[in-house]
Amino acid sequence: DISSLRSQGYATHLGHHGACCPSADKEVLFILVDTNGIHNTKFCFCNCAGAPDRVEQLMRVRMFPATMRRPTMAFTFNLLHQFHLHHLESKASAYDFI
């Protein structure tokens, strides 16, 4: 991911339809798990007054957070769908899926 190569400037912005939030905190180092691998990336969360929390911001862009408090890892809905099908068909564990 290009965001892991640069110290600042490249991050995925959540909220404001992908535009930079004027009241965003610093970029958060994030681990994103998708069907094509595990990626280190950076996210900028929206911190405007009345903005949803980080969990809801991730869910809106179809990512399921690994924790509900200050998430730093998420799984894409596409990956969760693939795992669901894999588990239904083969009855294999999550460890075997990885």
Side-chain angles (χ1 to χ4, degrees):
D1 189 43
I2 190 114
S3 67
S4 65
L5 300 176
R6 299 278 307 234
S7 60
Q8 292 182 1
Y10 295 104
T12 302
H13 296 276
L14 304 178
H16 300 278
H17 303 288
C20 189
C21 176
S23 61
D25 282 343
K26 61 181 180 176
E27 299 165 346
V28 177
L29 294 175
F30 218 83
I31 298 172
L32 182 63
V33 184
D34 197 7
T35 55
N36 62 354
I38 300 170
H39 308 280
N40 292 315
T41 189
K42 295 178 187 172
F43 285 152
C44 281
F45 291 95
C46 177
N47 289 325
C48 293
D53 64 348
R54 289 182 176 194
V55 171
E56 189 172 337
Q57 289 181 48
L58 287 168
M59 296 289 271
R60 286 182 178 181
V61 292
R62 301 185 50 80
M63 295 181 205
F64 191 83
T67 62
M68 295 297 136
R69 292 185 192 204
R70 310 285 291 174
T72 58
M73 182 176 185
F75 306 92
T76 62
F77 280 18
N78 190 26
L79 175 82
L80 295 176
H81 178 72
Q82 290 295 322
F83 170 70
H84 179 70
L85 293 176
H86 175 77
H87 181 70
L88 287 174
E89 293 293 326
S90 68
K91 305 294 186 217
S93 67
Y95 180 82
D96 292 331
F97 179 71
I98 289 175

